[in-house]
């Protein structure tokens, strides 16, 4: 593993544990077994390090979305979108825990999250329109609120997967999606 990746991994662990504001480059250097100077050589400053972690996390999330979220039918799309928060958070829990903590306070993290969610909104509107919903735009927004709350709930809590699965099944039932 490269030293740069060691730094990214250590920073993610520390940011997840204490948040980005409380984390020091010194603590990251100790965790990564590198000098602080090497952190600055690779990233220039802590903000650039945070941004690289966020970009990397969303690249991975985009890859997973491409694997799990294809628009075949409106029902299939809505069902798969409801499954996605659990898939994403469990695939990279530290990233999503960090993102949960920093998104409300960090414009860059919030911007990346909004861009990530944008294409889902457009396809949800299409799905709800195809299913004959009276206000597909509003239905899409409501479902995205549910999805946003679900990933945050999973990231913020130690959870029982049966409980999360029950929440997802109930949301699918409310939208008459049976998979």
């Amino acid at each position: 593993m490269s030293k740069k990746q060691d730094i990214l991994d250590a920073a993610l662990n520390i940011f997840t544990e204490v948040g980005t504001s409380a984390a020091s480059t010194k603590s990251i250097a100790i965790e990564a077994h590198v000098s602080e100077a090497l952190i600055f050589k690779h990233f220039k400053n802590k903000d650039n390090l945070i941004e690289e972690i966020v970009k990397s996390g969303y690249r991975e999330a985009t890859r997973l979305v491409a694997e799990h979220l294809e628009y075949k039918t409106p029902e299939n799309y809505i069902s798969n979108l409801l499954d996605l928060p659990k898939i994403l958070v469990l695939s990279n829990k530290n990233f999503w825990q960090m993102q949960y903590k920093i998104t409300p306070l960090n414009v860059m993290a919030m911007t990346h999250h909004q861009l990530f969610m944008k294409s889902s909104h457009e396809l949800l509107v299409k799905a709800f329109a195809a299913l004959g919903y009276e206000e597909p735009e509003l239905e899409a927004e409501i479902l995205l609120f549910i999805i946003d709350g679900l990933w945050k709930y999973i990231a913020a809590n130690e959870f029982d997967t049966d409980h999360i699965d029950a929440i997802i099944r109930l949301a699918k039932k409310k939208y008459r999606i049976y998979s």
Side-chain angles (χ1 to χ4, degrees):
M1 189 181 301
S2 74
K3 291 294 180 185
K4 186 175 181 179
Q5 189 60 50
D6 291 343
I7 293 167
L8 289 167
D9 293 343
L12 179 56
N13 288 337
I14 290 173
F15 293 156
T16 300
E17 189 176 315
V18 300
T20 55
S21 297
S24 69
T25 53
K26 181 178 180 175
S27 64
I28 294 166
I30 291 168
E31 175 90 7
H33 305 291
V34 299
S35 69
E36 246 183 308
L38 190 60
I39 293 173
F40 293 119
K41 177 182 176 198
H42 284 298
F43 301 101
K44 306 287 184 243
N45 57 46
K46 188 168 77 169
D47 287 339
N48 288 348
L49 177 57
I50 295 165
E51 185 170 8
E52 180 60 32
I53 290 169
V54 170
K55 284 180 179 180
S56 176
Y58 279 110
R59 276 192 302 272
E60 176 62 19
T62 300
R63 185 189 65 72
L64 282 170
V65 167
E67 287 178 15
H68 294 281
L69 196 61
E70 184 180 339
Y71 191 104
K72 294 177 184 170
T73 67
E75 297 88 353
N76 175 268
Y77 184 76
I78 293 168
S79 178
N80 288 344
L81 193 61
L82 280 163
D83 292 333
L84 206 53
K86 181 181 171 189
I87 292 166
L88 288 174
V89 174
L90 292 181
S91 73
N92 194 354
K93 188 143 185 187
N94 275 355
F95 169 73
W96 290 102
Q97 286 176 327
M98 182 196 83
Q99 190 65 357
Y100 169 75
K101 290 178 182 178
I102 72 170
T103 298
L105 309 169
N106 185 301
V107 173
M108 179 272 307
M110 187 176 298
T111 300
H112 279 280
H113 187 69
Q114 289 169 342
L115 287 171
F116 177 70
M117 294 300 292
K118 188 175 182 182
S119 65
S120 297
H121 181 267
E122 294 162 4
L123 288 173
L124 271 177
V125 171
K126 176 183 170 181
F128 284 122
L131 292 172
Y133 279 80
E134 212 171 288
E135 298 185 69
E137 283 275 340
L138 294 177
E139 291 293 347
E141 286 182 43
I142 290 168
L143 189 55
L144 287 174
F145 289 146
I146 293 169
I147 289 165
D148 193 55
L150 191 55
W151 83 258
K152 289 174 181 173
Y153 178 77
I154 297 167
N157 297 288
E158 290 302 318
F159 62 89
D160 175 1
T161 57
D162 291 339
H163 182 68
I164 296 301
D165 291 339
I167 291 170
I168 293 168
R169 276 192 309 277
L170 182 59
K172 288 179 182 183
K173 183 177 175 184
K174 287 188 178 292
Y175 284 102
R176 297 182 197 103
I177 306 295
Y178 304 101
S179 57

